Amino acid sequence: MHAFAYRRGELFCEGVPIRRIARRTGTPVYIYSRRTIEDHYKKLVDAFRDVETLVTYSVKSNSNLAILAILARLGAGFDIVSGGELVRVLRVGADPKKIVFAGVGKSEREITEALKVGVGLFTVESEGELALIDQVARRLDRRAQAALRVNPDVDPRTHKYTTTGKRENKFGLDLARARGIFLRAPREHPRVALTGIHAHIGSQITSVKPYRKSLERIVAFHRSLPHPERVTTLDCGGGFGVHYRAEEGISAAAYARQMVPLVRKTGCRLLLEMGRFVVGNAGILVTEVQYVKDSGDKKFVICDAGMHTLIRPALYEAFHKIWPVATKVPIDRVDWTRKSWPRLPKGTERVDVVGPICESADFFAQERPLPSVARGDLLSVFTAGAYGFVMASRYNSHPLPAEVLVEGNRFRVVRRAETYDDLLRGEAM
Ligand code: LLP
């Protein structure tokens, strides 16, 4: 479900016309729907209610304070990967016990900060990290809770850059090594209670099968430990896919049906570190057409947003639906499940949608059907709520765009657009 819909040819988010927001903030602007975020979070919680579950929202997918605050209010935990993300979740009043600190390269400073506030769980990626957490905990006279990240060697069938649970990936430890660490840890790292197993196999996974396979391996691994009763948490990571094209995503209930029975066998509580599933469809990027240019055999629609605003198409060749914010041509006239459109749908022309950056990778779409547009028209880039703004940069010295949250018939700016002063802050001549 998402709350972006056309009414008589005009795009709305919940009760607010997108054009009204863009007039106020300028473009580019990211626009999020509160109702969609709440709906997706509740669907997850509801689907997994038959086993003790904590959804730890993956902050990296969208870390705006307003969004974190919505989720904190709903009782979510948070999956963080840096000291900066820790500061963000504490700012919105997150319960430290519901924070999971992940990441392959935690610094000593970050470990210290996390231990001081008492985060609920570290996910540990290497023996070196385990030793460091133990050492810092001793210095602070604390005891840390940790889950060991294992690499179940499962192919999630997603983009190679978002695959994490195969043998050759840098994440986690193979099961044989992990077993050795579970055996030695109580003696060698007494300040760390190794009470969990963690496996995150990748992102934008649109099949339940890899989860099942990964969980089967983890459950068997858990059972094979000399003291399985000491392990009380299974953290299955994030990665549930969303609909970028049509309805190819999977419902939370479908994942749960496969996963819950396996988790129940272990008696453990389940952690789910979902990011994209919660916010992906809850956001769009709105950009203004600067020029329409015919060149060679191609038509380019040149926008004020680009790879500096949303890098996913350039980095992963990711697909995002794009459609004018105001148009007579209905968006569902295009069959979005296709990879190419040899015959153009009525009322569209074939264009490349590109940005202003001096790079050939700076495109949002290539050879795409789009109703005819002109300078000043607004385009919506859909499903941009996850890994959108958070991956934006100031490349070519473009200030970062604004972010807006829509709540029913109202909207508010939850991050103002940057100014040129913001751009220069901290620099010296
Ligand atoms: N847990 C761990 C350990 C992770 O590494 C990630 C994502 C998540 C949870 C959340 O995954 P999600 O539920 O959002 O799929 N920038 C890429 C995605 C990178 C994902 C990184 N890790 C993209 O735009 O597709």
Side-chain angles (χ1 to χ4, degrees), residues 56 58 60 79 198-205 211 235-241 259 271-277:
T56 53
S58 196
K60 66 174 86 65
D79 154 39
H198 174 265
H200 168 80
I201 52 177
S203 195
Q204 182 56 15
I205 300 174
Y211 283 97
D235 183 336
C236 282
F240 292 179
M259 295 168 69
L271 298 189
L272 291 174
E273 300 171 348
M274 293 307 151
R276 191 189 318 257
F277 187 87

mmCIF file with all atom_site columns, all heavy atoms in Angstrom, residues 56 58 60 79 198-205 211 235-241 259 271-277:
data_model
loop_
_atom_site.group_PDB
_atom_site.id
_atom_site.type_symbol
_atom_site.label_atom_id
_atom_site.label_alt_id
_atom_site.label_comp_id
_atom_site.label_asym_id
_atom_site.label_entity_id
_atom_site.label_seq_id
_atom_site.pdbx_PDB_ins_code
_atom_site.Cartn_x
_atom_site.Cartn_y
_atom_site.Cartn_z
_atom_site.occupancy
_atom_site.B_iso_or_equiv
_atom_site.pdbx_formal_charge
_atom_site.auth_seq_id
_atom_site.auth_comp_id
_atom_site.auth_asym_id
_atom_site.auth_atom_id
_atom_site.pdbx_PDB_model_num
ATOM 1   N N   . THR A 1 56  ? 13.421 -3.901  14.386 1.00 0.00 ? 56  THR A N   1
ATOM 2   C CA  . THR A 1 56  ? 14.412 -2.844  14.596 1.00 0.00 ? 56  THR A CA  1
ATOM 3   C C   . THR A 1 56  ? 14.598 -2.158  13.249 1.00 0.00 ? 56  THR A C   1
ATOM 4   O O   . THR A 1 56  ? 15.293 -2.653  12.368 1.00 0.00 ? 56  THR A O   1
ATOM 5   C CB  . THR A 1 56  ? 15.745 -3.440  15.102 1.00 0.00 ? 56  THR A CB  1
ATOM 6   O OG1 . THR A 1 56  ? 16.172 -4.468  14.216 1.00 0.00 ? 56  THR A OG1 1
ATOM 7   C CG2 . THR A 1 56  ? 15.600 -4.008  16.497 1.00 0.00 ? 56  THR A CG2 1
ATOM 8   N N   . SER A 1 58  ? 15.719 -0.223  10.189 1.00 0.00 ? 58  SER A N   1
ATOM 9   C CA  . SER A 1 58  ? 17.084 -0.017  9.730  1.00 0.00 ? 58  SER A CA  1
ATOM 10  C C   . SER A 1 58  ? 17.278 1.458   9.356  1.00 0.00 ? 58  SER A C   1
ATOM 11  O O   . SER A 1 58  ? 16.834 1.904   8.302  1.00 0.00 ? 58  SER A O   1
ATOM 12  C CB  . SER A 1 58  ? 17.339 -0.923  8.527  1.00 0.00 ? 58  SER A CB  1
ATOM 13  O OG  . SER A 1 58  ? 18.715 -1.005  8.306  1.00 0.00 ? 58  SER A OG  1
ATOM 14  N N   . LYS A 1 60  ? 19.623 3.252   8.344  1.00 0.00 ? 60  LYS A N   1
ATOM 15  C CA  . LYS A 1 60  ? 20.374 3.646   7.140  1.00 0.00 ? 60  LYS A CA  1
ATOM 16  C C   . LYS A 1 60  ? 19.460 3.892   5.952  1.00 0.00 ? 60  LYS A C   1
ATOM 17  O O   . LYS A 1 60  ? 19.795 4.637   5.053  1.00 0.00 ? 60  LYS A O   1
ATOM 18  C CB  . LYS A 1 60  ? 21.433 2.591   6.800  1.00 0.00 ? 60  LYS A CB  1
ATOM 19  C CG  . LYS A 1 60  ? 20.856 1.247   6.388  1.00 0.00 ? 60  LYS A CG  1
ATOM 20  C CD  . LYS A 1 60  ? 21.936 0.298   5.920  1.00 0.00 ? 60  LYS A CD  1
ATOM 21  C CE  . LYS A 1 60  ? 22.592 -0.483  7.030  1.00 0.00 ? 60  LYS A CE  1
ATOM 22  N NZ  . LYS A 1 60  ? 21.702 -1.441  7.744  1.00 0.00 ? 60  LYS A NZ  1
ATOM 23  N N   . ASP A 1 79  ? 17.960 -0.426  14.149 1.00 0.00 ? 79  ASP A N   1
ATOM 24  C CA  . ASP A 1 79  ? 19.206 -1.047  13.702 1.00 0.00 ? 79  ASP A CA  1
ATOM 25  C C   . ASP A 1 79  ? 20.097 0.097   13.230 1.00 0.00 ? 79  ASP A C   1
ATOM 26  O O   . ASP A 1 79  ? 19.758 0.794   12.277 1.00 0.00 ? 79  ASP A O   1
ATOM 27  C CB  . ASP A 1 79  ? 18.861 -2.021  12.563 1.00 0.00 ? 79  ASP A CB  1
ATOM 28  C CG  . ASP A 1 79  ? 20.014 -2.270  11.602 1.00 0.00 ? 79  ASP A CG  1
ATOM 29  O OD1 . ASP A 1 79  ? 21.160 -2.361  12.072 1.00 0.00 ? 79  ASP A OD1 1
ATOM 30  O OD2 . ASP A 1 79  ? 19.758 -2.387  10.382 1.00 0.00 ? 79  ASP A OD2 1
ATOM 31  N N   . HIS A 1 198 ? 23.030 -13.709 14.179 1.00 0.00 ? 198 HIS A N   1
ATOM 32  C CA  . HIS A 1 198 ? 22.537 -12.726 13.222 1.00 0.00 ? 198 HIS A CA  1
ATOM 33  C C   . HIS A 1 198 ? 22.907 -13.147 11.813 1.00 0.00 ? 198 HIS A C   1
ATOM 34  O O   . HIS A 1 198 ? 24.009 -13.634 11.576 1.00 0.00 ? 198 HIS A O   1
ATOM 35  C CB  . HIS A 1 198 ? 23.170 -11.365 13.545 1.00 0.00 ? 198 HIS A CB  1
ATOM 36  C CG  . HIS A 1 198 ? 22.862 -10.298 12.542 1.00 0.00 ? 198 HIS A CG  1
ATOM 37  N ND1 . HIS A 1 198 ? 23.694 -9.994  11.499 1.00 0.00 ? 198 HIS A ND1 1
ATOM 38  C CD2 . HIS A 1 198 ? 21.818 -9.464  12.427 1.00 0.00 ? 198 HIS A CD2 1
ATOM 39  C CE1 . HIS A 1 198 ? 23.158 -9.007  10.779 1.00 0.00 ? 198 HIS A CE1 1
ATOM 40  N NE2 . HIS A 1 198 ? 22.023 -8.666  11.326 1.00 0.00 ? 198 HIS A NE2 1
ATOM 41  N N   . ALA A 1 199 ? 21.956 -12.986 10.878 1.00 0.00 ? 199 ALA A N   1
ATOM 42  C CA  . ALA A 1 199 ? 22.266 -13.225 9.466  1.00 0.00 ? 199 ALA A CA  1
ATOM 43  C C   . ALA A 1 199 ? 21.429 -12.270 8.624  1.00 0.00 ? 199 ALA A C   1
ATOM 44  O O   . ALA A 1 199 ? 20.204 -12.256 8.724  1.00 0.00 ? 199 ALA A O   1
ATOM 45  C CB  . ALA A 1 199 ? 21.940 -14.663 9.081  1.00 0.00 ? 199 ALA A CB  1
ATOM 46  N N   . HIS A 1 200 ? 22.095 -11.452 7.862  1.00 0.00 ? 200 HIS A N   1
ATOM 47  C CA  . HIS A 1 200 ? 21.395 -10.583 6.902  1.00 0.00 ? 200 HIS A CA  1
ATOM 48  C C   . HIS A 1 200 ? 21.926 -10.952 5.534  1.00 0.00 ? 200 HIS A C   1
ATOM 49  O O   . HIS A 1 200 ? 23.118 -10.803 5.273  1.00 0.00 ? 200 HIS A O   1
ATOM 50  C CB  . HIS A 1 200 ? 21.688 -9.110  7.223  1.00 0.00 ? 200 HIS A CB  1
ATOM 51  C CG  . HIS A 1 200 ? 21.253 -8.166  6.136  1.00 0.00 ? 200 HIS A CG  1
ATOM 52  N ND1 . HIS A 1 200 ? 19.951 -7.757  5.993  1.00 0.00 ? 200 HIS A ND1 1
ATOM 53  C CD2 . HIS A 1 200 ? 21.940 -7.568  5.143  1.00 0.00 ? 200 HIS A CD2 1
ATOM 54  C CE1 . HIS A 1 200 ? 19.862 -6.935  4.945  1.00 0.00 ? 200 HIS A CE1 1
ATOM 55  N NE2 . HIS A 1 200 ? 21.061 -6.802  4.419  1.00 0.00 ? 200 HIS A NE2 1
ATOM 56  N N   . ILE A 1 201 ? 21.051 -11.464 4.663  1.00 0.00 ? 201 ILE A N   1
ATOM 57  C CA  . ILE A 1 201 ? 21.567 -12.053 3.426  1.00 0.00 ? 201 ILE A CA  1
ATOM 58  C C   . ILE A 1 201 ? 21.541 -11.110 2.242  1.00 0.00 ? 201 ILE A C   1
ATOM 59  O O   . ILE A 1 201 ? 22.109 -11.408 1.194  1.00 0.00 ? 201 ILE A O   1
ATOM 60  C CB  . ILE A 1 201 ? 20.824 -13.370 3.073  1.00 0.00 ? 201 ILE A CB  1
ATOM 61  C CG1 . ILE A 1 201 ? 19.299 -13.154 3.088  1.00 0.00 ? 201 ILE A CG1 1
ATOM 62  C CG2 . ILE A 1 201 ? 21.214 -14.486 4.037  1.00 0.00 ? 201 ILE A CG2 1
ATOM 63  C CD1 . ILE A 1 201 ? 18.506 -14.393 2.691  1.00 0.00 ? 201 ILE A CD1 1
ATOM 64  N N   . GLY A 1 202 ? 20.884 -9.965  2.389  1.00 0.00 ? 202 GLY A N   1
ATOM 65  C CA  . GLY A 1 202 ? 20.861 -9.025  1.268  1.00 0.00 ? 202 GLY A CA  1
ATOM 66  C C   . GLY A 1 202 ? 19.652 -8.121  1.344  1.00 0.00 ? 202 GLY A C   1
ATOM 67  O O   . GLY A 1 202 ? 18.887 -8.169  2.307  1.00 0.00 ? 202 GLY A O   1
ATOM 68  N N   . SER A 1 203 ? 19.495 -7.313  0.306  1.00 0.00 ? 203 SER A N   1
ATOM 69  C CA  . SER A 1 203 ? 18.457 -6.291  0.324  1.00 0.00 ? 203 SER A CA  1
ATOM 70  C C   . SER A 1 203 ? 17.643 -6.360  -0.974 1.00 0.00 ? 203 SER A C   1
ATOM 71  O O   . SER A 1 203 ? 18.150 -6.813  -1.997 1.00 0.00 ? 203 SER A O   1
ATOM 72  C CB  . SER A 1 203 ? 19.135 -4.937  0.452  1.00 0.00 ? 203 SER A CB  1
ATOM 73  O OG  . SER A 1 203 ? 18.221 -3.944  0.803  1.00 0.00 ? 203 SER A OG  1
ATOM 74  N N   . GLN A 1 204 ? 16.390 -5.903  -0.893 1.00 0.00 ? 204 GLN A N   1
ATOM 75  C CA  . GLN A 1 204 ? 15.447 -5.983  -2.023 1.00 0.00 ? 204 GLN A CA  1
ATOM 76  C C   . GLN A 1 204 ? 15.337 -7.435  -2.497 1.00 0.00 ? 204 GLN A C   1
ATOM 77  O O   . GLN A 1 204 ? 15.544 -7.766  -3.662 1.00 0.00 ? 204 GLN A O   1
ATOM 78  C CB  . GLN A 1 204 ? 15.854 -5.018  -3.151 1.00 0.00 ? 204 GLN A CB  1
ATOM 79  C CG  . GLN A 1 204 ? 14.918 -4.982  -4.360 1.00 0.00 ? 204 GLN A CG  1
ATOM 80  C CD  . GLN A 1 204 ? 13.463 -4.657  -4.005 1.00 0.00 ? 204 GLN A CD  1
ATOM 81  O OE1 . GLN A 1 204 ? 13.170 -4.189  -2.921 1.00 0.00 ? 204 GLN A OE1 1
ATOM 82  N NE2 . GLN A 1 204 ? 12.529 -4.903  -4.902 1.00 0.00 ? 204 GLN A NE2 1
ATOM 83  N N   . ILE A 1 205 ? 14.979 -8.302  -1.554 1.00 0.00 ? 205 ILE A N   1
ATOM 84  C CA  . ILE A 1 205 ? 14.807 -9.724  -1.848 1.00 0.00 ? 205 ILE A CA  1
ATOM 85  C C   . ILE A 1 205 ? 13.314 -9.973  -2.068 1.00 0.00 ? 205 ILE A C   1
ATOM 86  O O   . ILE A 1 205 ? 12.499 -9.660  -1.206 1.00 0.00 ? 205 ILE A O   1
ATOM 87  C CB  . ILE A 1 205 ? 15.333 -10.586 -0.678 1.00 0.00 ? 205 ILE A CB  1
ATOM 88  C CG1 . ILE A 1 205 ? 16.825 -10.289 -0.484 1.00 0.00 ? 205 ILE A CG1 1
ATOM 89  C CG2 . ILE A 1 205 ? 15.093 -12.071 -0.944 1.00 0.00 ? 205 ILE A CG2 1
ATOM 90  C CD1 . ILE A 1 205 ? 17.429 -10.950 0.719  1.00 0.00 ? 205 ILE A CD1 1
ATOM 91  N N   . TYR A 1 211 ? 15.177 -16.719 2.528  1.00 0.00 ? 211 TYR A N   1
ATOM 92  C CA  . TYR A 1 211 ? 15.009 -16.579 3.980  1.00 0.00 ? 211 TYR A CA  1
ATOM 93  C C   . TYR A 1 211 ? 14.828 -17.933 4.637  1.00 0.00 ? 211 TYR A C   1
ATOM 94  O O   . TYR A 1 211 ? 15.366 -18.219 5.696  1.00 0.00 ? 211 TYR A O   1
ATOM 95  C CB  . TYR A 1 211 ? 13.805 -15.685 4.298  1.00 0.00 ? 211 TYR A CB  1
ATOM 96  C CG  . TYR A 1 211 ? 14.124 -14.232 4.106  1.00 0.00 ? 211 TYR A CG  1
ATOM 97  C CD1 . TYR A 1 211 ? 13.796 -13.591 2.930  1.00 0.00 ? 211 TYR A CD1 1
ATOM 98  C CD2 . TYR A 1 211 ? 14.797 -13.512 5.083  1.00 0.00 ? 211 TYR A CD2 1
ATOM 99  C CE1 . TYR A 1 211 ? 14.120 -12.276 2.719  1.00 0.00 ? 211 TYR A CE1 1
ATOM 100 C CE2 . TYR A 1 211 ? 15.127 -12.188 4.886  1.00 0.00 ? 211 TYR A CE2 1
ATOM 101 C CZ  . TYR A 1 211 ? 14.785 -11.577 3.707  1.00 0.00 ? 211 TYR A CZ  1
ATOM 102 O OH  . TYR A 1 211 ? 15.124 -10.261 3.506  1.00 0.00 ? 211 TYR A OH  1
ATOM 103 N N   . ASP A 1 235 ? 18.476 -12.910 14.870 1.00 0.00 ? 235 ASP A N   1
ATOM 104 C CA  . ASP A 1 235 ? 18.288 -11.675 14.122 1.00 0.00 ? 235 ASP A CA  1
ATOM 105 C C   . ASP A 1 235 ? 18.405 -12.019 12.645 1.00 0.00 ? 235 ASP A C   1
ATOM 106 O O   . ASP A 1 235 ? 19.474 -12.397 12.173 1.00 0.00 ? 235 ASP A O   1
ATOM 107 C CB  . ASP A 1 235 ? 19.366 -10.661 14.544 1.00 0.00 ? 235 ASP A CB  1
ATOM 108 C CG  . ASP A 1 235 ? 19.185 -9.324  13.871 1.00 0.00 ? 235 ASP A CG  1
ATOM 109 O OD1 . ASP A 1 235 ? 18.568 -9.276  12.806 1.00 0.00 ? 235 ASP A OD1 1
ATOM 110 O OD2 . ASP A 1 235 ? 19.689 -8.327  14.425 1.00 0.00 ? 235 ASP A OD2 1
ATOM 111 N N   . CYS A 1 236 ? 17.279 -11.925 11.950 1.00 0.00 ? 236 CYS A N   1
ATOM 112 C CA  . CYS A 1 236 ? 17.256 -12.325 10.526 1.00 0.00 ? 236 CYS A CA  1
ATOM 113 C C   . CYS A 1 236 ? 17.583 -11.181 9.589  1.00 0.00 ? 236 CYS A C   1
ATOM 114 O O   . CYS A 1 236 ? 17.387 -11.304 8.371  1.00 0.00 ? 236 CYS A O   1
ATOM 115 C CB  . CYS A 1 236 ? 15.910 -12.918 10.159 1.00 0.00 ? 236 CYS A CB  1
ATOM 116 S SG  . CYS A 1 236 ? 15.776 -14.604 10.743 1.00 0.00 ? 236 CYS A SG  1
ATOM 117 N N   . GLY A 1 237 ? 18.049 -10.061 10.124 1.00 0.00 ? 237 GLY A N   1
ATOM 118 C CA  . GLY A 1 237 ? 18.414 -8.943  9.261  1.00 0.00 ? 237 GLY A CA  1
ATOM 119 C C   . GLY A 1 237 ? 17.199 -8.321  8.605  1.00 0.00 ? 237 GLY A C   1
ATOM 120 O O   . GLY A 1 237 ? 16.061 -8.517  9.041  1.00 0.00 ? 237 GLY A O   1
ATOM 121 N N   . GLY A 1 238 ? 17.467 -7.585  7.535  1.00 0.00 ? 238 GLY A N   1
ATOM 122 C CA  . GLY A 1 238 ? 16.370 -6.932  6.803  1.00 0.00 ? 238 GLY A CA  1
ATOM 123 C C   . GLY A 1 238 ? 16.254 -7.533  5.426  1.00 0.00 ? 238 GLY A C   1
ATOM 124 O O   . GLY A 1 238 ? 16.540 -8.713  5.239  1.00 0.00 ? 238 GLY A O   1
ATOM 125 N N   . GLY A 1 239 ? 15.837 -6.727  4.470  1.00 0.00 ? 239 GLY A N   1
ATOM 126 C CA  . GLY A 1 239 ? 15.913 -7.153  3.086  1.00 0.00 ? 239 GLY A CA  1
ATOM 127 C C   . GLY A 1 239 ? 14.605 -7.451  2.376  1.00 0.00 ? 239 GLY A C   1
ATOM 128 O O   . GLY A 1 239 ? 14.634 -7.718  1.171  1.00 0.00 ? 239 GLY A O   1
ATOM 129 N N   . PHE A 1 240 ? 13.453 -7.438  3.077  1.00 0.00 ? 240 PHE A N   1
ATOM 130 C CA  . PHE A 1 240 ? 12.191 -7.713  2.371  1.00 0.00 ? 240 PHE A CA  1
ATOM 131 C C   . PHE A 1 240 ? 12.022 -6.687  1.246  1.00 0.00 ? 240 PHE A C   1
ATOM 132 O O   . PHE A 1 240 ? 12.171 -5.490  1.449  1.00 0.00 ? 240 PHE A O   1
ATOM 133 C CB  . PHE A 1 240 ? 10.984 -7.609  3.313  1.00 0.00 ? 240 PHE A CB  1
ATOM 134 C CG  . PHE A 1 240 ? 10.896 -8.685  4.372  1.00 0.00 ? 240 PHE A CG  1
ATOM 135 C CD1 . PHE A 1 240 ? 9.855  -8.667  5.288  1.00 0.00 ? 240 PHE A CD1 1
ATOM 136 C CD2 . PHE A 1 240 ? 11.826 -9.701  4.453  1.00 0.00 ? 240 PHE A CD2 1
ATOM 137 C CE1 . PHE A 1 240 ? 9.748  -9.642  6.273  1.00 0.00 ? 240 PHE A CE1 1
ATOM 138 C CE2 . PHE A 1 240 ? 11.734 -10.691 5.438  1.00 0.00 ? 240 PHE A CE2 1
ATOM 139 C CZ  . PHE A 1 240 ? 10.692 -10.654 6.344  1.00 0.00 ? 240 PHE A CZ  1
ATOM 140 N N   . GLY A 1 241 ? 11.691 -7.197  0.056  1.00 0.00 ? 241 GLY A N   1
ATOM 141 C CA  . GLY A 1 241 ? 11.609 -6.334  -1.122 1.00 0.00 ? 241 GLY A CA  1
ATOM 142 C C   . GLY A 1 241 ? 10.319 -5.533  -1.195 1.00 0.00 ? 241 GLY A C   1
ATOM 143 O O   . GLY A 1 241 ? 9.319  -5.878  -0.570 1.00 0.00 ? 241 GLY A O   1
ATOM 144 N N   . MET A 1 259 ? 8.764  -18.225 7.847  1.00 0.00 ? 259 MET A N   1
ATOM 145 C CA  . MET A 1 259 ? 9.822  -18.009 8.837  1.00 0.00 ? 259 MET A CA  1
ATOM 146 C C   . MET A 1 259 ? 9.405  -18.358 10.272 1.00 0.00 ? 259 MET A C   1
ATOM 147 O O   . MET A 1 259 ? 10.191 -18.916 11.032 1.00 0.00 ? 259 MET A O   1
ATOM 148 C CB  . MET A 1 259 ? 10.300 -16.546 8.772  1.00 0.00 ? 259 MET A CB  1
ATOM 149 C CG  . MET A 1 259 ? 10.975 -16.207 7.443  1.00 0.00 ? 259 MET A CG  1
ATOM 150 S SD  . MET A 1 259 ? 11.237 -14.444 7.190  1.00 0.00 ? 259 MET A SD  1
ATOM 151 C CE  . MET A 1 259 ? 12.491 -14.093 8.429  1.00 0.00 ? 259 MET A CE  1
ATOM 152 N N   . LEU A 1 271 ? 14.467 -10.875 15.761 1.00 0.00 ? 271 LEU A N   1
ATOM 153 C CA  . LEU A 1 271 ? 14.655 -9.469  15.393 1.00 0.00 ? 271 LEU A CA  1
ATOM 154 C C   . LEU A 1 271 ? 14.571 -9.345  13.871 1.00 0.00 ? 271 LEU A C   1
ATOM 155 O O   . LEU A 1 271 ? 15.107 -10.174 13.149 1.00 0.00 ? 271 LEU A O   1
ATOM 156 C CB  . LEU A 1 271 ? 16.021 -8.939  15.862 1.00 0.00 ? 271 LEU A CB  1
ATOM 157 C CG  . LEU A 1 271 ? 16.306 -8.918  17.355 1.00 0.00 ? 271 LEU A CG  1
ATOM 158 C CD1 . LEU A 1 271 ? 17.603 -8.149  17.624 1.00 0.00 ? 271 LEU A CD1 1
ATOM 159 C CD2 . LEU A 1 271 ? 15.176 -8.296  18.149 1.00 0.00 ? 271 LEU A CD2 1
ATOM 160 N N   . LEU A 1 272 ? 13.887 -8.307  13.411 1.00 0.00 ? 272 LEU A N   1
ATOM 161 C CA  . LEU A 1 272 ? 13.778 -8.029  11.976 1.00 0.00 ? 272 LEU A CA  1
ATOM 162 C C   . LEU A 1 272 ? 14.268 -6.614  11.721 1.00 0.00 ? 272 LEU A C   1
ATOM 163 O O   . LEU A 1 272 ? 13.669 -5.648  12.206 1.00 0.00 ? 272 LEU A O   1
ATOM 164 C CB  . LEU A 1 272 ? 12.321 -8.130  11.514 1.00 0.00 ? 272 LEU A CB  1
ATOM 165 C CG  . LEU A 1 272 ? 11.690 -9.519  11.517 1.00 0.00 ? 272 LEU A CG  1
ATOM 166 C CD1 . LEU A 1 272 ? 10.204 -9.408  11.182 1.00 0.00 ? 272 LEU A CD1 1
ATOM 167 C CD2 . LEU A 1 272 ? 12.379 -10.440 10.519 1.00 0.00 ? 272 LEU A CD2 1
ATOM 168 N N   . GLU A 1 273 ? 15.344 -6.504  10.961 1.00 0.00 ? 273 GLU A N   1
ATOM 169 C CA  . GLU A 1 273 ? 15.959 -5.178  10.728 1.00 0.00 ? 273 GLU A CA  1
ATOM 170 C C   . GLU A 1 273 ? 15.486 -4.597  9.410  1.00 0.00 ? 273 GLU A C   1
ATOM 171 O O   . GLU A 1 273 ? 16.281 -4.403  8.501  1.00 0.00 ? 273 GLU A O   1
ATOM 172 C CB  . GLU A 1 273 ? 17.477 -5.327  10.674 1.00 0.00 ? 273 GLU A CB  1
ATOM 173 C CG  . GLU A 1 273 ? 18.103 -5.882  11.911 1.00 0.00 ? 273 GLU A CG  1
ATOM 174 C CD  . GLU A 1 273 ? 19.582 -6.211  11.717 1.00 0.00 ? 273 GLU A CD  1
ATOM 175 O OE1 . GLU A 1 273 ? 20.077 -6.215  10.579 1.00 0.00 ? 273 GLU A OE1 1
ATOM 176 O OE2 . GLU A 1 273 ? 20.247 -6.472  12.730 1.00 0.00 ? 273 GLU A OE2 1
ATOM 177 N N   . MET A 1 274 ? 14.201 -4.325  9.291  1.00 0.00 ? 274 MET A N   1
ATOM 178 C CA  . MET A 1 274 ? 13.691 -3.866  8.001  1.00 0.00 ? 274 MET A CA  1
ATOM 179 C C   . MET A 1 274 ? 13.860 -2.365  7.817  1.00 0.00 ? 274 MET A C   1
ATOM 180 O O   . MET A 1 274 ? 13.590 -1.579  8.720  1.00 0.00 ? 274 MET A O   1
ATOM 181 C CB  . MET A 1 274 ? 12.199 -4.201  7.857  1.00 0.00 ? 274 MET A CB  1
ATOM 182 C CG  . MET A 1 274 ? 11.929 -5.667  7.767  1.00 0.00 ? 274 MET A CG  1
ATOM 183 S SD  . MET A 1 274 ? 12.907 -6.480  6.487  1.00 0.00 ? 274 MET A SD  1
ATOM 184 C CE  . MET A 1 274 ? 13.017 -8.106  7.206  1.00 0.00 ? 274 MET A CE  1
ATOM 185 N N   . GLY A 1 275 ? 14.299 -1.997  6.629  1.00 0.00 ? 275 GLY A N   1
ATOM 186 C CA  . GLY A 1 275 ? 14.380 -0.591  6.269  1.00 0.00 ? 275 GLY A CA  1
ATOM 187 C C   . GLY A 1 275 ? 13.460 -0.312  5.098  1.00 0.00 ? 275 GLY A C   1
ATOM 188 O O   . GLY A 1 275 ? 12.392 0.272   5.232  1.00 0.00 ? 275 GLY A O   1
ATOM 189 N N   . ARG A 1 276 ? 13.866 -0.821  3.927  1.00 0.00 ? 276 ARG A N   1
ATOM 190 C CA  . ARG A 1 276 ? 13.140 -0.544  2.690  1.00 0.00 ? 276 ARG A CA  1
ATOM 191 C C   . ARG A 1 276 ? 11.660 -0.912  2.777  1.00 0.00 ? 276 ARG A C   1
ATOM 192 O O   . ARG A 1 276 ? 10.814 -0.187  2.280  1.00 0.00 ? 276 ARG A O   1
ATOM 193 C CB  . ARG A 1 276 ? 13.789 -1.344  1.561  1.00 0.00 ? 276 ARG A CB  1
ATOM 194 C CG  . ARG A 1 276 ? 13.312 -0.944  0.194  1.00 0.00 ? 276 ARG A CG  1
ATOM 195 C CD  . ARG A 1 276 ? 13.830 -1.916  -0.862 1.00 0.00 ? 276 ARG A CD  1
ATOM 196 N NE  . ARG A 1 276 ? 15.178 -2.303  -0.689 1.00 0.00 ? 276 ARG A NE  1
ATOM 197 C CZ  . ARG A 1 276 ? 16.214 -1.834  -1.401 1.00 0.00 ? 276 ARG A CZ  1
ATOM 198 N NH1 . ARG A 1 276 ? 16.006 -0.936  -2.328 1.00 0.00 ? 276 ARG A NH1 1
ATOM 199 N NH2 . ARG A 1 276 ? 17.429 -2.272  -1.178 1.00 0.00 ? 276 ARG A NH2 1
ATOM 200 N N   . PHE A 1 277 ? 11.352 -2.047  3.417  1.00 0.00 ? 277 PHE A N   1
ATOM 201 C CA  . PHE A 1 277 ? 9.960  -2.488  3.494  1.00 0.00 ? 277 PHE A CA  1
ATOM 202 C C   . PHE A 1 277 ? 9.089  -1.428  4.172  1.00 0.00 ? 277 PHE A C   1
ATOM 203 O O   . PHE A 1 277 ? 7.928  -1.243  3.827  1.00 0.00 ? 277 PHE A O   1
ATOM 204 C CB  . PHE A 1 277 ? 9.875  -3.816  4.265  1.00 0.00 ? 277 PHE A CB  1
ATOM 205 C CG  . PHE A 1 277 ? 8.508  -4.432  4.254  1.00 0.00 ? 277 PHE A CG  1
ATOM 206 C CD1 . PHE A 1 277 ? 8.125  -5.278  3.216  1.00 0.00 ? 277 PHE A CD1 1
ATOM 207 C CD2 . PHE A 1 277 ? 7.594  -4.161  5.255  1.00 0.00 ? 277 PHE A CD2 1
ATOM 208 C CE1 . PHE A 1 277 ? 6.859  -5.834  3.194  1.00 0.00 ? 277 PHE A CE1 1
ATOM 209 C CE2 . PHE A 1 277 ? 6.316  -4.709  5.241  1.00 0.00 ? 277 PHE A CE2 1
ATOM 210 C CZ  . PHE A 1 277 ? 5.949  -5.556  4.196  1.00 0.00 ? 277 PHE A CZ  1
#
